[in-house]
């Protein structure tokens, strides 16, 4: 079920949107001010947030800017009677994804919301790398294996990300060094071996199959196969 937050101070308009979206199978929460909208958006995840620009207290532009500064990934749709080009450009400039001037056709509102929700789903999928029961969220930098969270240093995270982007491929020491250490990589050191050891200790357990394998004299690969 799609979860929509509607930040709208005109109660009649807000109830109309809520009733209509509920009939379309969407769960809709109403906030009647910018402050309330930001609080609700911080307390739970929404797929799409609709924002009126003319709000009491914190205005819609400030709400959108704050949501993006807080790295809120919801699709943001502006619903506003302010339909001038400069208002649209301002909305897009602070992070809105779409802009629908009032008055609007309700069917068009539904289509726009569903399109934004699909876009968000694809965006989240692009930011998640998985292999076997290992999962990496690039947005939050969280790593889990079998549902258990794993704490990694920045270098370990970057090294694991390289393997997750190239599963089943043998990565040479040179490729790993260039991708993770860049110009700081010293080919004469054993720093890669040391970090591979660190990763193995963190992502492998006695009850889980080994995922990081050594290909002698060549490099390393991420694989469920020996």
């Amino acid at each position: 079920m799609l979860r929509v937050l509607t930040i709208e101070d005109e109660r009649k308009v807000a109830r109309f949107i809520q009733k209509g979206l509920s009939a379309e199978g969407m769960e809709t929460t109403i906030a009647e001010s910018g402050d309330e909208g930001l609080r609700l958006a911080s307390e739970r995840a929404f797929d799409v947030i609709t924002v009126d620009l003319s709000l009491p207290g914190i205005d819609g532009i400030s709400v959108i800017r704050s949501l993006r500064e807080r790295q809120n990934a919801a699709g943001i749709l502006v619903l506003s009677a302010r339909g001038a080009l400069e208002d649209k450009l301002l909305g897009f400039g602070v992070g809105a994804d779409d802009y629908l001037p009032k008055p609007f056709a309700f069917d068009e509102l539904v289509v726009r919301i569903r399109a934004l929700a699909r876009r968000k789903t694809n965006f989240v999928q692009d930011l998640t790398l998985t292999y076997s029961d290992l999962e990496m969220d690039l947005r939050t930098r969280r790593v889990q294996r079998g549902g258990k969270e794993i704490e990694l240093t920045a270098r370990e995270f970057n090294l694991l990300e390289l393997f997750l982007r190239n599963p089943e491929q043998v990565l040479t020491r040179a490729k790993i060094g260039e991708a993770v250490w860049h110009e700081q990589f010293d080919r004469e050191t054993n720093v890669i071996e040391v970090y591979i050891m660190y990763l193995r200790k963190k992502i492998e357990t006695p009850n889980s199959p080994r995922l990081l394998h050594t290909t002698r004299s060549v490099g390393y690969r991420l694989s469920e196969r020996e």
Side-chain angles (χ1 to χ4, degrees):
M1 177 182 289
L2 291 184
R3 292 163 302 199
V4 179
L5 172 62
T6 294
I7 307 177
E8 170 63 66
D9 66 313
E10 292 186 46
R11 188 165 298 180
K12 185 175 180 180
V13 174
R15 299 302 176 194
F16 167 74
I17 292 173
Q18 184 181 47
K19 183 178 179 180
L21 294 183
S22 295
E24 294 290 331
M26 303 183 200
E27 178 188 329
T28 309
T29 302
I30 295 175
E32 296 185 354
S33 68
D35 297 276
E36 184 183 11
L38 288 174
R39 178 181 60 79
L40 290 170
S42 68
E43 292 176 349
R44 60 173 303 188
F46 292 94
D47 299 297
V48 176
I49 299 175
T50 70
V51 183
D52 184 13
L53 294 187
S54 301
L55 295 169
I58 302 176
D59 65 15
I61 292 297
S62 299
V63 168
I64 297 168
R65 183 184 291 113
S66 183
L67 287 169
R68 292 314 189 206
E69 287 175 350
R70 300 178 188 186
Q71 298 186 342
N72 191 300
I76 296 179
L77 169 61
V78 174
L79 297 177
S80 178
R82 291 160 51 181
L85 177 59
E86 55 265 32
D87 290 313
K88 294 180 180 179
L89 293 176
L90 184 58
F92 287 122
V94 295
D97 298 293
D98 201 355
Y99 200 111
L100 186 58
K102 296 176 181 177
F104 52 82
F106 185 76
D107 287 347
E108 183 176 4
L109 173 64
V110 172
V111 168
R112 301 273 190 115
I113 288 175
R114 286 183 171 151
L116 284 179
R118 284 194 301 272
R119 192 185 308 173
K120 181 206 171 190
T121 298
N122 293 335
F123 175 72
V124 170
Q125 288 175 343
D126 289 343
L127 289 177
T128 302
L129 302 176
T130 59
Y131 183 84
S132 183
D133 58 348
L134 188 62
E135 181 176 303
M136 171 180 283
D137 188 322
L138 298 174
R139 182 166 50 93
T140 62
R141 296 184 71 83
R142 293 177 62 187
V143 176
Q144 298 182 62
R145 184 170 187 190
K148 183 178 180 181
E149 193 158 345
I150 301 168
E151 294 291 337
L152 298 179
T153 66
R155 192 79 73 182
E156 291 165 353
F157 185 95
N158 293 341
L159 179 57
L160 183 58
E161 180 184 350
L162 178 65
F163 282 110
L164 285 168
R165 291 188 182 278
N166 299 275
E168 305 292 345
Q169 298 181 43
V170 176
L171 302 181
T172 65
R173 291 183 77 258
K175 182 172 182 177
I176 294 171
E178 291 168 3
V180 179
W181 278 266
H182 309 295
E183 70 280 355
Q184 301 170 351
F185 179 58
D186 182 351
R187 293 174 182 267
E188 302 303 318
T189 70
N190 67 338
V191 66
I192 292 177
E193 288 76 9
V194 170
Y195 272 86
I196 291 291
M197 179 185 68
Y198 291 161
L199 268 185
R200 282 175 172 159
K201 286 182 177 180
K202 292 186 175 183
I203 71 172
E204 294 174 1
T205 65
N207 299 322
S208 302
R210 168 169 282 195
L211 293 180
L212 281 177
H213 302 277
T214 302
T215 301
R216 186 164 297 182
S217 302
V218 181
Y220 303 91
R221 62 187 169 87
L222 180 72
S223 177
E224 292 182 292
R225 296 173 293 139
E226 292 292 338

